[in-house]
Amino acid sequence: MELRTEDLTVEIDGKALVADLRLDAVSGQVLGLVGPNGSGKSTALRCIYRALKPSRGVVRIGGADLTDLPLRESAQRIAALTQQGEADFDFTVDEVVALGRTPHKHGNQPLTAAERELCRTAMAQMDVLHLADRGILGLSGGERQRVLVARALVQQPEILVLDEPTNHLDIRHQIELLGYLRGCGRTVIVVLHDLNLASAVCDHIAVLAGGRLVTHGTPTKVLTRELIVEVFGVEAVIVRHPLSGDPQILFALDGMPSSTPTSAPTPARLV
Amino acid sequence: MAVSTKAASVPSVQASRPARRRGSRAATAGLILGLSVCLIGSVFVAIGLGSAVVPPADTVRYLWASVTGGTIPADEVTRYQIIWQIRTPRVLLAAIVGAGLAVVGAAIQALVRNSLADPYILGVSSGASVGAVTVSLFGVLSTLGIYAVSVGAFAGALVATALVYLIAYGRVGVTPLRLVLTGVALSFGFQAVMSVMIYFTPTSESTSTVLFWTMGSFGAATWGSLPVVVAIVIAGIVVLRRFSRPLDVMALGDETAASLGVDSVRVRRGLFVVTAVMTGAMVAVSGTIGFVGLVIPHITRILIGAPHARLLVIAPFLGAILMVWVDLISRTLVAPRELPLGVLTALIGVPVFIMLMRRKGYVFGGR
């Protein structure tokens, strides 16, 4: 299922958080959204999982305007890992994951045996099965994050929307999660701050700044030194991953020393 | 900062929290059966006890005679009337109000995602008091006779809730925090209005009316007013229970709710109407009884977990049982005077609550 936003605009108090944004998520591929804080990534995602109504523009899935679908039906197709995943009451991990079936159930129908199995599989995939009976408020941030991903998976969506899914995750779980996303066959739209992980996992990257699309394309095309200076305002060195060939970005805390062999352009040349 | 990996399944500080037993349907059914027996027993005991103690055998005989239309010897008519005309409606009212407050409290806490919320958070109680005092001081609605004050209280409760909702309504709809803050602010406003009315008409009647509404009592229970409250509360419980899953989802936040296909703004608005009508009906006949609606939901969550499908079934039993005993104590401890119900709910509820909280490591709204 492909997803596309057309002229997506979100204005709050006259200020455009997202302006004329056009995103194309190809069916079965991973689209990464990168950009500095406040560039409108999460706002765009919130329109996609319908926590926010855009001021203008449409979100289409498979050609259909999302607002023509009941909330319940779009939730059967689009699952989201949101940034505000906090609970105030101590549901168990098992109970939280089971709530992922909400858009597929009517009223208080209990889960079927097959759905229970689906929940167990998702928990096993996210390595939280051993936590099934624990309360979510007692989990670490990373454990909780994995529980919420498991909940999104049991929604059995065609499109998976994830807002910084690697937050709080240790490196092993980051790699496992992103590896899973790349191989799951679903359309994935993911916000990532780690450009190297984005480079490794995304088929396509869209770069946002100030609510607008700066550029998009394959990681190799997009993740250039010039772009990183322009969008993030930091100096970087791009190298090739020795195994995968993906672009990898190296930073230095004090900026790049001028003696760096890979060339040290003056800022004036970059802008 | 501790990094969790698979190896973290070695016991850690967090693992000291006991795993909660998953509530199977059979276990829940057993619990409901046990609580039903306990509730019926409590009601029966409470009907028999009071400033005039009636032996259980006689209590049964009087109740049986009332239900089946039997006869009572002339010398027992007074005791019969105490049992059937005074105590039975009073105890039943206590049970239904306890059940209703527990359910409304649980639902409101999920709707506004606030562990400190209770049925009166949206200005219902102070609005009801203003309505009741207005009626008793100015004699409006006098065509309704003895029900005028209750109707006034009910109307006041609904007006207050509507006001809170409208004022809280903002650009992004009604957010939980705006509702809570507006409710708290308007409650102070209503209390001020009430104080002013009392201040300028300091009659003993107005003072006792206010005392009744702020402290709560089942002393005004009659067979005439009981059916309306029972019908409203039970219908409300059934409706809220049907929304268990949306309530679960909304307890996880509006963002999550949207991504799971739940229109939280619409559900919240609809269920607020339900809870306002329920609370208004209860306040109108029993005044404001604090603590039950705040604490019983938490006690129930500690015992059986947070999902509303179970919570909204078990909480009313616990609320009803607590209320029946609280009412019994309030009218027997310093008979013939009555202790305010709010005092007793706190005296009983607080220790139980603290004990449970400390034992199970219950987490209130995050760490």
Side-chain angles (χ1 to χ4, degrees), chain B residues 32-100:
Chain B
I32 291 171
L33 187 70
L35 288 171
S36 305
V37 171
C38 186
L39 175 59
I40 292 167
S42 300
V43 166
F44 182 74
V45 169
I47 290 174
L49 294 181
S51 43
V53 176
V54 178
D58 289 347
T59 308
V60 173
R61 198 153 51 83
Y62 298 153
L63 292 177
W64 182 252
S66 306
V67 175
T68 59
T71 53
I72 298 290
D75 59 331
E76 293 181 37
V77 164
T78 312
R79 291 211 301 172
Y80 164 78
Q81 291 212 323
I82 289 173
I83 292 293
W84 184 248
Q85 296 296 344
I86 297 173
R87 282 202 202 142
T88 306
R90 178 175 184 144
V91 172
L92 292 181
L93 183 67
I96 199 73
V97 168

Side-chain angles (χ1 to χ4, degrees), chain A residues 112-134:
Chain A
T112 63
E115 288 176 313
R116 288 255 154 243
E117 191 49 43
L118 184 69
C119 292
R120 291 182 64 81
T121 310
M123 284 191 275
Q125 259 165 357
M126 286 302 121
D127 192 21
V128 290
L129 191 54
H130 61 290
L131 303 172
D133 289 333
R134 289 263 299 273

